[in-house]
Amino acid sequence: MISLTKETERNVVEVAEVTDAQDDPYDVERCARWVRTNALKQVCLQFPDSLLPDSVEVALRLEKSLGRKVYILGDTTCGSCCVDEVTAQHVDADGIIHFGHACLSPTARLPVFHVLPRKRLDATALCDEFVRIFPDCGKKIIFFYDVAYAHEIENVYNALKPVYKHLVLSKLNCTSNVEYTDTRVSSASVVLGRGYTLENGYNVQDYEGFFLGEGEKTLALLAMSIPVKRWYCFANGKIGEFEALSTPWLKRRRFLIEKLRDARVVGIVVATLGIQEYLTAINTVKRTLKQKNKKSYLLSVGKINPAKLANFPEIDAFVVIACPENEVFDSRDFFKPMLTVYEVELAFNSAREFCPQYFMDFRQILPGGPHYVDFKPSTDSDVSLITSNVRNCEDDTLCTDQMNALTVRSSGTVAIGKAGAQYLQERSWKGAEQRLGEDPVQPAEAGRVGLAWEYTNEPLKTDKRDAQAE
């Protein structure tokens, strides 16, 4: 976190002055107006990495307008698209201004103002292509768009609505610098930060879905979550049909679900601390795993990467509590399966069945969500499609979280259940154990000298030095 000081201000030689006639991509005056309207005292500015070079200039301009200090979040806890409430609370912030692309996941603690990015759009070319692809003016269409095109939506919608009487425009469930697209509705009727209202007498299956933008991730998530007839997208000046669930992707997810069923130890990775109901999601996953006799560990590692999770080799699979746009679910770099809350439901809830929809937003399947299903455990034995072992048999060892299940293993080692502690006990290398009285006393020796990539006592370094001496 960065607080601008007098020294920082002196280092900035000149702050660009933006007049009303110029286009300010950061909408500093609207940000200042939002702060004053909400009577906020301590405000944090959150930028993605690509916009950090402009952060000092924006902060100085906002300070000049407000007449007080603001803070810059120098590094986000989990991801740039999510609002980082945790870091902001380090300075007791009472509001956050988020710049750049946003996943629009609802926050639980602080009010947020989104300054959405702006991409250029040829609205005339879009409307011409739209009329060409949809010649039937009576067709029912739900219009979605990437947040980077929110500033153009009013002109596009006003041009298309007189032609298409059944055109439904989605709204962004946030407070942003584009007031036309903002709305505030109940979370139950919002999908991936977007809400829409259908005409009376129709349901979503009667509509076609259209998405404006190049963001394949956002489009894929919408297409998997909303069961319209067909999906279309506008990219590179053309409108084309989009396949919601590609066969290779779905096959891989089903394979990972089968791996989760075989897992004995599951890690619950918390990759968000700000999305509403993330604690409910954690408790739901823990309760489900316990009912299926799986030992679980709760992990919080900040930004997820393969190296961090490789430190837990005893864990067979990971369930990630994260925003829907997190890239870990598409990555093949991780050594163990990375699954979603919905896939835990598919693996262990016999009342949940595969359907054309795939819910990457965990809030949709939690209690009170539009697609919640009561948990019904399966007691029937089945055979693993990967190991051919029988699962759910009677002699499965029950896991427990109670402390009265302590068991003495050997030489005073105490373990709880049969999970990570047993793995550590059976592993040949266990780290820096004490080994009191087992090793002879050694005198102190000089350590390595030099840079980590080439110490002076490295064999190759020594041979090179001897060759030069000769």
Side-chain angles (χ1 to χ4, degrees), residues 159-327:
L160 293 177
K161 183 58 179 176
V163 180
Y164 297 90
K165 303 300 182 183
H166 300 289
L167 181 66
V168 175
L169 180 67
S170 65
K171 293 295 187 73
L172 306 181
N173 192 41
C174 67
T175 301
S176 76
N177 58 329
V178 187
E179 297 178 2
Y180 180 78
T181 61
D182 295 348
T183 185
R184 280 292 181 183
V185 295
S186 63
S187 59
S189 59
V190 175
V191 179
L192 301 169
R194 292 159 172 84
Y196 53 89
T197 304
L198 302 180
E199 299 170 296
N200 292 333
Y202 298 105
N203 55 44
V204 70
Q205 289 82 5
D206 298 326
Y207 287 80
E208 314 258 8
F210 175 80
F211 181 79
L212 168 62
E214 292 82 17
E216 291 187 4
K217 183 69 175 180
T218 305
L219 171 58
L221 293 172
L222 286 170
M224 289 188 293
S225 303
I226 303 175
V228 296
K229 290 180 179 179
R230 280 178 297 276
W231 275 94
Y232 297 87
C233 63
F234 178 81
N236 299 322
K238 297 292 182 182
I239 295 179
E241 192 168 345
F242 180 79
E243 180 62 35
L245 289 173
S246 63
T247 303
W249 185 88
L250 188 58
K251 284 182 178 179
R252 182 168 181 266
R253 302 315 301 180
R254 291 193 176 185
F255 168 76
L256 296 182
I257 292 172
E258 193 68 17
K259 295 280 285 186
L260 177 62
R261 291 191 177 112
D262 289 340
R264 295 178 58 202
V265 185
V266 180
I268 304 174
V269 184
V270 183
T272 177
L273 296 174
I275 299 179
Q276 284 183 7
E277 300 185 70
Y278 79 97
L279 289 176
T280 305
I282 293 172
N283 293 329
T284 299
V285 173
K286 288 176 63 177
R287 185 168 56 251
T288 301
L289 295 174
K290 186 175 180 180
Q291 292 187 11
K292 297 301 295 182
N293 300 330
K294 309 287 184 183
K295 187 67 180 180
S296 63
Y297 290 95
L298 190 62
L299 309 173
S300 180
V301 296
K303 292 181 180 178
I304 304 174
N305 61 51
K308 289 181 180 179
L309 298 187
N311 291 315
F312 307 97
E314 63 271 28
I315 294 179
D316 302 317
F318 294 95
V319 178
V320 184
I321 312 296
C323 87
E325 295 193 15
N326 199 304
E327 299 293 337

